[in-house]
Structure formats: C-alpha cells, structure tokens
Amino acid sequence: VLAVEVILKIIAKTDKGADMDIANSTFSLVFQPIPDIRRSAFDIEERLDGYLKPFQVYAIPADAPFELPRIASTTESGHSTLTIAAQSAQVQSNFDDNYSKDFEKSLTYSKKKAYELFNTLTDMHGVVVNYVGLSVQLIASADDFGRQPVEFIKDTYLNVESNLALSDASTKLVYEVDEDYYLNIEVKKVVLADPISISIGPNGVDITSKVTPHDDQLSVIIDFNNRLAFNCGRHPTCSLDTIETLYRRVSAFAERGIENFLEKSEVSF
C-alpha cells in the first residue's frame, strides 16, 4: 500500500511536467577565437542596450586561456548575466517566482536575450560562429516531488546495489539528434545556497550569509546544441532559425517530454 501511495504521489506531482520549476536558462555561442576581443567591448556595449553600462572589462592578456571571461555585464533587473570570452559568449537568465512556473514566459524572455546576443556578435567583423546551444535547468524540491532525489535517481536510472548509504547520485545521457545536434540530459541532486549579502562601510567590506537548512532538489538539465555537426567537420548552420529550433524543441521537452522521462525513463525529443 505504501509503495502504491508513493507512486501515485510522484505521478500527481509530475502530471504536467511544469510542476518542476524552471530555475535558469543559458544560451551559448561558440566562435573561432578572437584573442583581443576586449578591444570590441565598447562596440558590443553600444549594440546591447538592455544591459547595464559600462561593461566590465577584465584585464586579461590576449594570450590567456581563451575560456577565461574578458567582458561581463548584467541586466538592470539582475536576472540575466552576459559573459564574453575569447571564443565564446553566453547569456544566463535566472528566473524568480514570477517566471519559474511558466516555461513559455521564461523561455520567451531567454530567447529574446539570445537573439540580441546573436545579432550583435554575428554583425561584427571577424566573428565566425562554430555552433550554438541552449541549456535549461528544471528543479523540484523533495517535498514537491514526493521522493528524495538521490533515491529516485538510483531507483530510476542506476543499476547499482550496495549495503552502503548512498549520499549523492547523478546521471548524464547524450543523444545524437537529426545528424547535427547533441541532446544532453543530466539528472542530479542539488542543494540551493543562501544568498550572500555584501555591504561596504568605513571599516571595510562585510560579507554575510544567512545559513538556513534547505531541502534537497531534483535537478534536470536539458542541453541542446548543434556541436555534433562541428565535431564531424561540417560547418553547421547558425542563424535565428537555428535558435528558434533550439528553443522550440527544448520547450516542448520541458513541458511534455519531462513527464515520460521522470515516470517511465523514456526520452522522446
């Protein structure tokens, strides 16, 4: 009877997929290396009106590792952060309670930021895009989901037995889609951190963090990109239509496919 009650509770909690909140989304654009991209900071700043000005430009030499950020900025609301390195750029959007339960609203906002970034960089001289991608994180608390994340992951996706107490668990799946795309799905336990408060006074900088207990969260990260074509030596098509495809298919999976993934361990994309 108890097992039936647990199963019914899981089904009730995941019946619409959207019962998982959308925590954040990240649109990434990878291009051929431009070691001195910091020189373009003012140009990029002028083209992107939706971000705080001035942009933060890091004092990093041109020969530093390409993955290190050179330029950063944040929207006025603080919901989106732009980061530009020598061979990539990304905009991450974090969603509060006004957005997190509405996938369409959240991803429409994210897509707008993706369009702005793509149009800005591809209109600049010397930027040659290699591939683009979209990553979305969905989360549900243990109370809302009806099970502890670690136990759910072990029972659903892992075929491992032990007499030891399992403290953490995660799994990652990578699929090839339509010859050009990778679909990555990662399931893991996360524990949300408390926000940090920073105040500057006459005696220096005071950093405080309220430590409160948090429930374990079940996290499902959906990452869809056209890197497969690039890895196979084909120059993938990267356009606004490509971005539309990323958002359309990830949105469909987040709203409908997540149910079968959680309940039946099926990936329909």
Side-chain angles (χ1 to χ4, degrees):
V1 175
L2 180 60
V4 172
E5 290 178 349
V6 171
I7 293 172
L8 290 177
K9 188 174 183 181
I10 293 173
I11 293 174
K13 292 297 183 181
T14 60
D15 182 52
K16 296 181 181 179
D19 286 332
M20 295 194 79
D21 291 347
I22 178 168
N24 58 69
S25 68
T26 302
F27 171 75
S28 300
L29 186 153
V30 179
F31 45 84
Q32 294 184 12
I34 306 175
D36 60 349
I37 197 169
R38 290 194 310 128
R39 298 177 181 272
S40 302
F42 294 117
D43 186 16
I44 298 172
E45 181 180 337
E46 286 299 316
R47 295 167 183 265
L48 287 173
D49 293 330
Y51 293 83
L52 286 179
K53 298 180 180 180
F55 277 22
Q56 184 172 2
V57 182
Y58 300 108
I60 295 178
D63 60 352
F66 291 156
E67 63 270 16
L68 293 180
R70 267 67 169 174
I71 304 167
S73 186
T74 306
T75 55
E76 187 171 4
S77 65
H79 291 141
S80 291
T81 301
L82 171 70
T83 306
I84 301 176
Q87 63 180 7
S88 65
Q90 66 177 29
V91 55
Q92 181 180 65
S93 301
N94 297 304
F95 303 112
D96 58 21
D97 291 342
N98 294 322
Y99 278 74
S100 61
K101 296 187 181 300
D102 190 330
F103 289 175
E104 181 179 0
K105 182 179 180 181
S106 298
L107 291 178
T108 297
Y109 170 87
S110 174
K111 183 167 65 174
K112 180 174 181 285
K113 294 300 177 187
Y115 280 172
E116 292 172 354
L117 178 60
F118 182 84
N119 285 332
T120 293
L121 292 185
T122 56
D123 193 45
M124 294 173 55
H125 176 72
V127 176
V128 179
V129 178
N130 290 334
Y131 55 88
V132 293
L134 170 64
S135 176
V136 170
Q137 182 183 34
L138 310 180
I139 60 171
S141 70
D143 286 344
D144 289 339
F145 189 66
R147 292 186 67 182
Q148 288 298 320
V150 169
E151 288 301 315
F152 172 76
I153 294 169
K154 178 179 74 71
D155 294 343
T156 308
Y157 306 112
L158 304 179
N159 185 24
V160 178
E161 296 295 337
S162 174
N163 60 354
L164 302 175
L166 188 63
S167 176
D168 203 351
S170 66
T171 186
K172 183 175 182 178
L173 308 167
V174 181
Y175 296 93
E176 296 183 2
V177 180
D178 298 341
E179 297 184 349
D180 285 348
Y181 295 86
Y182 283 123
L183 169 64
N184 306 276
I185 302 177
E186 183 178 11
V187 189
K188 61 182 180 180
K189 180 194 83 172
V190 297
V191 180
L192 300 183
D194 287 302
I196 296 175
S197 174
I198 301 176
S199 60
I200 302 176
N203 297 324
V205 179
D206 184 29
I207 301 177
T208 59
S209 176
K210 183 176 68 173
V211 179
T212 55
H214 290 281
D215 289 334
D216 291 347
Q217 306 270 328
L218 178 72
S219 166
V220 180
I221 299 175
I222 308 158
D223 179 13
F224 190 45
N225 60 73
N226 62 346
R227 184 175 181 172
L228 175 57
F230 177 78
N231 286 353
C232 292
R234 300 189 301 274
H235 191 74
T237 300
C238 294
S239 64
L240 295 181
D241 287 340
T242 309
I243 298 174
E244 178 65 31
T245 296
L246 297 179
Y247 277 87
R248 174 174 51 80
R249 298 193 67 170
V250 169
S251 177
F253 184 78
E255 292 180 348
R256 297 184 292 275
I258 194 69
E259 179 181 349
N260 282 341
F261 179 67
L262 293 175
E263 293 180 18
K264 303 177 183 178
S265 301
E266 294 179 358
V267 176
S268 301
F269 192 78

